[in-house]
Amino acid sequence: MQGLIAYVIVRAYLRHLAKSDQLPAWIYGWAVDIANAADNEDEFVVAYVLTTHDHSDKTIVYGGVLYEMGLKSDGCITRIALWDCERYLADLSAGMNIKTLPSPSSRFPFMIIDASQIRNVAFEVVDLAADPES
């Protein structure tokens, strides 16, 4: 009975923290930082998804505003939804001399990428309030 009471109390406490955007980092670690940045009105999160698909010996990369991200209980990504998404063909065999992506080859208003198609993901938090001249 005490275990059930403790479970209910901890669950209610975590639900309260989730609603007030104060989830502790020990729950999902990096995902909490992404979720808190996504909920902030002055910031948005851009995700760059390196896929498992290749075209003409170049890797397909999608970049867009993070709309939604599904996670397993162990913190592994199950899916990523991107808004205002662009597709890039990145030549990973060219070495690391090129530090930017090539110009986008196409654009999509919305895209969902499943975990089976994801090789790696990078997130960038963009501050809308930052002065671009400083």
Side-chain angles (χ1 to χ4, degrees):
M1 186 65 167
Q2 290 174 342
L4 179 63
I5 292 171
Y7 171 78
V8 170
I9 290 172
V10 169
R11 187 173 169 100
Y13 175 68
L14 291 176
R15 185 175 295 135
H16 165 72
L17 290 178
K19 288 182 179 178
S20 61
D21 292 333
Q22 298 175 4
L23 281 172
W26 54 265
I27 293 179
Y28 284 119
W30 60 270
V32 173
D33 297 334
I34 298 295
N36 289 338
D39 286 341
N40 190 342
E41 292 180 7
D42 294 334
E43 296 176 333
F44 66 95
V45 178
V46 176
Y48 299 96
V49 182
L50 182 70
T51 68
T52 56
H53 303 290
D54 294 331
H55 178 70
S56 301
D57 294 330
K58 294 183 180 181
T59 302
I60 298 175
V61 179
Y62 294 103
V65 177
L66 182 65
Y67 182 80
E68 180 195 32
M69 179 172 57
L71 297 174
K72 291 183 185 178
S73 60
D74 63 357
C76 292
I77 296 173
T78 59
R79 73 186 174 287
I80 291 181
L82 301 176
W83 175 70
D84 194 22
C85 182
E86 295 177 328
R87 179 176 63 183
Y88 303 92
L89 296 176
D91 187 4
L92 300 181
S93 64
M96 298 309 292
N97 298 340
I98 303 170
K99 300 195 185 321
T100 60
L101 286 171
S103 59
S105 59
S106 58
R107 224 181 161 102
F108 306 97
F110 190 79
M111 174 170 277
I112 298 174
I113 305 167
D114 188 65
S116 64
Q117 301 170 357
I118 298 173
R119 190 177 295 169
N120 203 349
V121 181
F123 298 100
E124 178 182 8
V125 177
V126 178
D127 187 3
L128 296 174
D131 184 16
E133 307 227 352
S134 59

